Amino acid sequence: QRLGGPLTIEDLKDDKLEFSGDGTRIITRSQSDSRKICTDRLWDTSLRPLSPPMVTPLNESGSVTFSPDGTRILKFTDGCYLLDIKGREVAKLALEDARWTFAEFSRDGKLVLTSSKRLGCLWDLDGKLVGEPMRSSRDFKFSPDGKRIVSREHLGHKIQLWDTRGRPVAQPIPCEDKYFFSSDGQRIVT
Protein backbone atom coordinates (compact mmCIF):
# COMPACT_ATOMS: atom_id res chain seq x y z
CA GLN A 1 0.00 0.00 0.00
CA ARG A 2 1.26 3.46 -0.83
CA LEU A 3 2.03 6.22 1.63
CA GLY A 4 0.91 9.78 1.04
CA GLY A 5 -1.08 10.99 -1.91
CA PRO A 6 -4.85 10.87 -2.24
CA LEU A 7 -6.67 8.37 -0.05
CA THR A 8 -9.67 6.53 -1.45
CA ILE A 9 -11.85 3.83 -0.02
CA GLU A 10 -10.84 1.69 -3.00
CA ASP A 11 -7.19 2.05 -1.94
CA LEU A 12 -7.95 0.75 1.53
CA LYS A 13 -10.72 -1.65 0.52
CA ASP A 14 -12.69 -0.32 3.51
CA ASP A 15 -16.40 0.27 3.90
CA LYS A 16 -16.21 3.31 6.18
CA LEU A 17 -13.82 6.20 6.58
CA GLU A 18 -14.03 9.01 9.14
CA PHE A 19 -11.69 11.88 10.03
CA SER A 20 -11.16 12.95 13.64
CA GLY A 21 -12.62 16.35 14.54
CA ASP A 22 -9.19 18.00 14.29
CA GLY A 23 -8.48 16.29 10.95
CA THR A 24 -5.23 14.63 12.09
CA ARG A 25 -6.42 11.02 12.20
CA ILE A 26 -8.52 8.69 10.09
CA ILE A 27 -10.38 5.58 11.17
CA THR A 28 -11.54 3.00 8.65
CA ARG A 29 -13.69 -0.11 8.89
CA SER A 30 -13.80 -3.00 6.48
CA GLN A 31 -16.14 -5.96 6.74
CA SER A 32 -15.69 -9.48 5.45
CA ASP A 33 -19.04 -11.23 5.20
CA SER A 34 -17.37 -14.50 4.15
CA ARG A 35 -15.05 -14.48 7.17
CA LYS A 36 -17.65 -12.85 9.46
CA ILE A 37 -15.18 -10.28 10.79
CA CYS A 38 -14.69 -6.55 10.68
CA THR A 39 -11.35 -4.78 10.80
CA ASP A 40 -10.89 -1.27 12.11
CA ARG A 41 -7.73 0.66 11.35
CA LEU A 42 -6.39 3.93 12.73
CA TRP A 43 -4.20 6.07 10.43
CA ASP A 44 -2.48 9.43 10.41
CA THR A 45 -3.12 11.67 7.42
CA SER A 46 0.08 10.42 5.74
CA LEU A 47 -1.55 6.96 5.73
CA ARG A 48 0.80 5.56 8.37
CA PRO A 49 -0.93 3.06 10.67
CA LEU A 50 -1.19 4.35 14.26
CA SER A 51 -2.11 0.97 15.75
CA PRO A 52 -2.33 -2.67 14.72
CA PRO A 53 -5.58 -3.60 12.92
CA MET A 54 -8.44 -4.22 15.38
CA VAL A 55 -10.26 -7.37 14.26
CA THR A 56 -13.59 -8.37 15.84
CA PRO A 57 -16.61 -10.54 14.97
CA LEU A 58 -18.90 -8.97 12.38
CA ASN A 59 -21.95 -7.11 13.73
CA GLU A 60 -24.15 -5.64 10.99
CA SER A 61 -25.24 -2.76 13.21
CA GLY A 62 -21.71 -2.15 14.51
CA SER A 63 -19.81 1.09 14.09
CA VAL A 64 -16.61 2.88 14.92
CA THR A 65 -16.43 6.65 15.42
CA PHE A 66 -14.35 9.42 16.96
CA SER A 67 -15.62 11.48 19.87
CA PRO A 68 -16.39 15.07 18.79
CA ASP A 69 -13.13 16.31 20.36
CA GLY A 70 -11.12 13.43 18.85
CA THR A 71 -9.77 12.14 22.19
CA ARG A 72 -11.71 8.86 22.26
CA ILE A 73 -12.97 6.24 19.82
CA LEU A 74 -16.24 4.39 20.28
CA LYS A 75 -16.06 0.88 18.84
CA PHE A 76 -19.32 -1.03 18.67
CA THR A 77 -19.08 -4.62 17.42
CA ASP A 78 -19.43 -7.76 19.54
CA GLY A 79 -19.41 -5.40 22.52
CA CYS A 80 -19.08 -1.70 23.10
CA TYR A 81 -15.61 -0.30 23.81
CA LEU A 82 -14.05 3.07 24.49
CA LEU A 83 -10.56 3.34 23.01
CA ASP A 84 -7.88 5.96 23.38
CA ILE A 85 -6.55 7.80 20.36
CA LYS A 86 -3.95 5.07 19.75
CA GLY A 87 -6.63 2.36 19.59
CA ARG A 88 -5.97 0.97 23.08
CA GLU A 89 -8.96 -0.13 25.13
CA VAL A 90 -9.93 2.30 27.91
CA ALA A 91 -13.11 0.51 28.96
CA LYS A 92 -15.64 -2.09 27.92
CA LEU A 93 -19.17 -0.75 28.37
CA ALA A 94 -21.05 -3.73 29.77
CA LEU A 95 -24.00 -4.15 32.13
CA GLU A 96 -26.26 -7.01 33.18
CA ASP A 97 -25.58 -9.10 30.09
CA ALA A 98 -27.14 -6.33 28.00
CA ARG A 99 -26.64 -6.85 24.28
CA TRP A 100 -26.22 -3.34 22.95
CA THR A 101 -27.92 -2.58 19.64
CA PHE A 102 -26.80 1.05 19.37
CA ALA A 103 -24.14 3.37 20.80
CA GLU A 104 -23.29 7.06 20.27
CA PHE A 105 -21.37 9.98 21.77
CA SER A 106 -23.22 12.99 23.11
CA ARG A 107 -22.81 16.10 20.99
CA ASP A 108 -20.26 17.55 23.44
CA GLY A 109 -18.42 14.22 23.54
CA LYS A 110 -18.57 13.90 27.34
CA LEU A 111 -21.01 10.97 27.47
CA VAL A 112 -21.69 7.73 25.63
CA LEU A 113 -25.21 6.36 25.28
CA THR A 114 -25.74 2.63 24.78
CA SER A 115 -29.09 1.08 23.94
CA SER A 116 -30.46 -2.46 24.03
CA LYS A 117 -33.97 -3.85 23.53
CA ARG A 118 -35.07 -2.83 27.07
CA LEU A 119 -32.27 -0.80 28.56
CA GLY A 120 -30.32 2.40 27.99
CA CYS A 121 -27.17 3.48 29.82
CA LEU A 122 -25.00 6.57 29.99
CA TRP A 123 -21.24 6.31 30.49
CA ASP A 124 -18.43 8.78 31.09
CA LEU A 125 -15.26 8.70 29.01
CA ASP A 126 -13.55 6.41 31.54
CA GLY A 127 -16.30 3.79 31.11
CA LYS A 128 -18.08 4.47 34.40
CA LEU A 129 -21.88 4.31 34.52
CA VAL A 130 -23.49 7.77 34.89
CA GLY A 131 -26.75 7.82 36.83
CA GLU A 132 -29.19 4.96 36.71
CA PRO A 133 -29.87 2.62 33.78
CA MET A 134 -33.00 3.65 31.87
CA ARG A 135 -35.35 0.67 31.82
CA SER A 136 -38.48 -0.53 29.99
CA SER A 137 -37.64 1.36 26.85
CA ARG A 138 -35.75 0.87 23.61
CA ASP A 139 -34.24 2.90 20.76
CA PHE A 140 -32.46 5.45 22.94
CA LYS A 141 -31.00 8.54 21.21
CA PHE A 142 -29.64 11.93 22.29
CA SER A 143 -31.59 15.08 21.47
CA PRO A 144 -29.76 17.45 19.09
CA ASP A 145 -28.52 19.61 22.01
CA GLY A 146 -27.38 16.52 23.97
CA LYS A 147 -29.31 17.58 27.08
CA ARG A 148 -32.06 14.99 26.80
CA ILE A 149 -32.47 11.42 25.70
CA VAL A 150 -35.52 10.05 23.98
CA SER A 151 -36.61 6.41 23.90
CA ARG A 152 -39.58 4.38 22.80
CA GLU A 153 -41.54 2.52 25.44
CA HIS A 154 -41.17 -1.22 25.05
CA LEU A 155 -44.96 -1.73 25.05
CA GLY A 156 -47.36 0.80 23.65
CA HIS A 157 -46.94 3.74 21.34
CA LYS A 158 -45.21 6.31 23.51
CA ILE A 159 -41.84 7.98 23.81
CA GLN A 160 -40.06 8.87 27.05
CA LEU A 161 -37.74 11.82 27.66
CA TRP A 162 -34.82 11.42 30.09
CA ASP A 163 -32.16 13.72 31.52
CA THR A 164 -28.45 12.94 31.29
CA ARG A 165 -28.53 11.20 34.69
CA GLY A 166 -31.04 8.61 33.47
CA ARG A 167 -34.12 10.15 35.14
CA PRO A 168 -37.48 10.62 33.35
CA VAL A 169 -38.19 14.33 32.80
CA ALA A 170 -41.85 14.08 31.79
CA GLN A 171 -44.72 11.68 31.49
CA PRO A 172 -44.53 9.42 28.41
CA ILE A 173 -45.73 11.18 25.26
CA PRO A 174 -48.10 9.44 22.80
CA CYS A 175 -46.33 8.66 19.54
CA GLU A 176 -47.69 6.31 16.90
CA ASP A 177 -44.70 6.19 14.58
CA LYS A 178 -42.12 8.97 14.21
CA TYR A 179 -40.94 11.89 16.29
CA PHE A 180 -38.87 14.95 15.39
CA PHE A 181 -36.76 17.25 17.55
CA SER A 182 -36.27 20.90 16.78
CA SER A 183 -32.65 21.67 15.89
CA ASP A 184 -32.06 23.22 19.33
CA GLY A 185 -33.48 20.10 21.09
CA GLN A 186 -36.11 22.15 22.97
CA ARG A 187 -39.24 20.91 21.18
CA ILE A 188 -40.47 17.59 19.94
CA VAL A 189 -43.22 16.77 17.46
CA THR A 190 -44.87 13.34 17.28
Side-chain angles (χ1 to χ4, degrees):
Q1 91 209 51
R2 69 180 180 212
L3 295 178
L7 171 66
T8 67
I9 292 208
E10 291 78 24
D11 290 336
L12 297 173
K13 297 184 175 43
D14 289 347
D15 301 315
K16 180 196 179 194
L17 182 143
E18 179 182 327
F19 280 91
S20 60
D22 63 3
T24 62
R25 293 175 187 87
I26 300 167
I27 195 154
T28 60
R29 167 164 283 192
S30 61
Q31 298 185 142
S32 170
D33 294 331
S34 62
R35 294 176 51 208
K36 299 196 182 321
I37 61 167
C38 66
T39 304
D40 299 320
R41 293 177 180 89
L42 190 59
W43 311 84
D44 68 14
T45 53
S46 296
L47 302 184
R48 288 185 297 257
L50 296 176
S51 69
M54 299 170 272
V55 180
T56 51
L58 181 64
N59 177 338
E60 292 301 324
S61 62
S63 64
V64 62
T65 191
F66 285 104
S67 61
D69 66 1
T71 61
R72 291 282 191 261
I73 298 167
L74 180 60
K75 180 178 171 69
F76 173 53
T77 55
D78 60 329
C80 192
Y81 305 89
L82 276 172
L83 309 174
D84 69 13
I85 205 58
K86 296 194 185 256
R88 297 176 299 218
E89 185 177 316
V90 173
K92 180 175 182 179
L93 308 181
L95 184 69
E96 301 174 10
D97 297 326
R99 294 189 53 115
W100 304 126
T101 57
F102 178 78
E104 72 174 330
F105 281 106
S106 60
R107 189 172 189 180
D108 65 5
K110 294 180 181 176
L111 295 172
V112 173
L113 173 65
T114 55
S115 175
S116 72
K117 289 186 179 178
R118 293 189 183 208
L119 183 70
C121 290
L122 289 163
W123 311 84
D124 68 18
L125 295 185
D126 293 320
K128 293 182 178 65
L129 193 61
V130 174
E132 294 296 317
M134 299 166 279
R135 300 185 183 280
S136 301
S137 288
R138 60 186 171 89
D139 299 335
F140 292 82
K141 301 218 189 290
F142 279 109
S143 62
D145 63 359
K147 295 181 180 175
R148 289 175 194 78
I149 296 155
V150 66
S151 66
R152 291 193 174 278
E153 283 191 341
H154 184 65
L155 299 172
H157 298 283
K158 296 181 181 181
I159 56 173
Q160 177 67 58
L161 293 173
W162 310 81
D163 67 15
T164 54
R165 302 290 299 168
R167 299 176 297 223
V169 295
Q171 292 296 315
I173 301 167
C175 179
E176 289 300 317
D177 186 25
K178 296 180 181 180
Y179 60 87
F180 303 90
F181 271 105
S182 60
S183 60
D184 64 3
Q186 299 300 308
R187 292 178 180 80
I188 192 165
V189 174
T190 64

